[in-house]
Amino acid sequence: MNLPATSFHVSDATFKCFINKWKHVEEKLQEQSATMEALTDSLQSLSLSTTYSENIAKMVTSITHEVRNPLTSVSGFLQLIKQTNNVELIHQYTDIALGELTRANELITDFLTLSKQQADDITPLSINELLLNLIPIFKSEAHLKDINLITRFSTDELLCKGHKQHLTQVLVNIVKNAFEATKENLSSIPKEVTIATRKQRNQLVIEIKDNGCGIPEAQLKNLFIPLQTTKKNGTGMGLYVCKQLVEKYDGKMNIISSREKGTTMSIFFPLYNS
């Protein structure tokens, strides 16, 4: 086990707790690797017995891309662990990394069960609370990309019915898209991504706005078509999966974009009244 280099002195109990957490991270990484290998083998075998082998191959790539999001966060937090001597921060970063590894494993299952009903898992969710739990992850990536992350959350209690892991996947995917678009904007203006929530009649609204490169009007109509993408290394599945998950819970998505001015993605869900 390769532990991060440290130059501080802590109690035996604290160090033992840190060792146990670090072992847990390594176990999760090994579990993730084995799960991805088994999934890839399974889908590749399927591609040999179907005329849609090219699409199956793209699906494998898409799944890998989606799972890479939390794994990238894990990598970032492990780097931060190596750079700090603060025991409290080490514990905080390790806990977040473990949570992201768990989410990566769950994402694989979500992809394979996208079309299945999960009525037992649908519960009232607080959108503000869900976003607040994700903000540390978003802030970390924004900092690395020199992007100013702005949050404007409604003071109203905004509840909707849904599956927590599904809505987390939607929000992470769209925010990361906003980061990528903002990073590609080569203008001199400060790079910004804004996440806002509000109440609109009987709906709750989540808005994710960036001042990035924008999307050409001709390409907007293809955004939610599976396997259609304008990204160099994209798969064309990310927004399609997001749309399917949002609509599963009676929601809808809307996008407004202008070249070199940015993009606003709005997600609408029926308000749940407790």
Side-chain angles (χ1 to χ4, degrees), residues 45-61:
S45 297
L46 178 61
S47 71
L48 297 177
S49 58
T50 176
T51 57
Y52 299 103
S53 60
E54 183 178 350
N55 285 351
I56 292 296
K58 288 184 178 181
M59 282 292 289
V60 173
T61 304

Side-chain angles (χ1 to χ4, degrees), residues 95-109:
D95 286 338
I96 295 176
L98 287 171
E100 286 296 277
L101 285 170
T102 299
R103 186 166 70 84
N105 282 325
E106 292 175 349
L107 283 175
I108 298 172
T109 302

Side-chain angles (χ1 to χ4, degrees), residues 207-227:
E207 285 187 347
I208 300 167
K209 182 178 181 180
D210 66 69
N211 62 351
C213 57
I215 304 169
E217 185 176 352
Q219 296 174 357
L220 283 174
K221 61 182 180 181
N222 297 324
L223 281 184
F224 299 108
I225 299 177
L227 306 178

Side-chain angles (χ1 to χ4, degrees), residues 103 125-138 153 158 160 162-172 206 269:
R103 186 166 70 84
L125 297 173
S126 167
I127 289 298
N128 285 350
E129 182 179 342
L130 189 62
L131 281 168
L132 284 171
N133 289 333
L134 292 172
I135 289 302
I137 299 169
F138 295 154
F153 295 160
L158 302 179
C160 68
H163 186 283
K164 181 178 179 180
Q165 184 58 38
H166 283 170
L167 298 192
T168 296
Q169 181 177 350
V170 169
L171 293 170
V172 169
I206 309 165
F269 284 112

Side-chain angles (χ1 to χ4, degrees):
M1 179 175 62
N2 297 319
L3 293 174
T6 58
S7 59
F8 55 96
H9 300 284
V10 297
S11 67
D12 290 342
T14 300
F15 188 71
K16 184 177 180 180
C17 179
F18 171 61
I19 293 293
N20 289 336
K21 283 191 175 183
W22 191 266
K23 286 182 178 179
H24 197 181
V25 170
E26 289 190 328
E27 290 171 0
K28 285 286 187 179
L29 284 170
Q30 292 173 359
E31 177 186 343
Q32 176 65 41
S33 177
T35 304
M36 282 300 299
E37 184 176 347
L39 177 62
T40 301
D41 289 344
S42 175
L43 289 177
Q44 286 177 339
S45 297
L46 178 61
S47 71
L48 297 177
S49 58
T50 176
T51 57
Y52 299 103
S53 60
E54 183 178 350
N55 285 351
I56 292 296
K58 288 184 178 181
M59 282 292 289
V60 173
T61 304
S62 180
I63 292 171
T64 303
H65 171 75
E66 289 298 317
V67 172
R68 188 179 293 123
N69 282 339
L71 294 185
T72 299
S73 295
V74 170
S75 177
F77 279 109
L78 292 182
Q79 290 179 34
L80 289 174
I81 288 172
K82 290 182 178 182
Q83 296 170 6
T84 182
N85 291 339
N86 187 308
V87 176
E88 184 177 346
L89 283 178
I90 287 175
H91 283 293
Q92 179 183 345
Y93 293 156
T94 306
D95 286 338
I96 295 176
L98 287 171
E100 286 296 277
L101 285 170
T102 299
R103 186 166 70 84
N105 282 325
E106 292 175 349
L107 283 175
I108 298 172
T109 302
D110 285 338
F111 256 99
L112 299 180
T113 60
L114 185 59
S115 62
K116 296 180 182 179
Q117 295 295 325
Q118 292 181 298
D120 293 341
D121 296 321
I122 298 176
T123 58
L125 297 173
S126 167
I127 289 298
N128 285 350
E129 182 179 342
L130 189 62
L131 281 168
L132 284 171
N133 289 333
L134 292 172
I135 289 302
I137 299 169
F138 295 154
K139 281 186 175 180
S140 175
E141 185 167 349
H143 177 71
L144 291 174
K145 295 181 177 178
D146 196 27
I147 296 172
N148 183 26
L149 180 63
I150 302 168
T151 56
R152 297 193 181 104
F153 295 160
S154 171
T155 56
D156 294 319
E157 183 179 43
L158 302 179
L159 299 178
C160 68
K161 297 190 73 172
H163 186 283
K164 181 178 179 180
Q165 184 58 38
H166 283 170
L167 298 192
T168 296
Q169 181 177 350
V170 169
L171 293 170
V172 169
N173 192 299
I174 294 175
V175 171
K176 285 184 176 288
N177 282 349
F179 284 159
E180 290 176 10
T182 304
K183 187 178 178 181
E184 291 177 9
N185 190 339
L186 301 179
S187 67
S188 60
I189 61 172
K191 296 176 172 57
E192 293 183 351
V193 169
T194 301
I195 305 174
T197 62
R198 58 185 170 85
K199 179 180 178 180
Q200 180 177 296
R201 298 187 180 89
N202 61 340
Q203 293 181 313
L204 68 83
V205 185
I206 309 165
E207 285 187 347
I208 300 167
K209 182 178 181 180
D210 66 69
N211 62 351
C213 57
I215 304 169
E217 185 176 352
Q219 296 174 357
L220 283 174
K221 61 182 180 181
N222 297 324
L223 281 184
F224 299 108
I225 299 177
L227 306 178
Q228 299 291 318
T229 182
T230 58
K231 295 182 180 179
K232 183 178 180 181
N233 298 315
T235 63
M237 287 297 296
L239 285 178
Y240 169 73
V241 171
C242 287
K243 186 172 184 289
Q244 296 300 308
L245 293 177
V246 168
E247 292 179 350
K248 180 185 283 285
Y249 307 114
D250 300 320
K252 63 180 181 179
M253 298 176 68
N254 182 58
I255 186 168
I256 300 174
S257 187
S258 300
R259 289 291 290 167
E260 306 305 330
K261 292 185 178 180
T263 300
T264 300
M265 179 72 75
S266 300
I267 307 171
F268 303 83
F269 284 112
L271 272 174
Y272 173 81
N273 295 315
S274 58

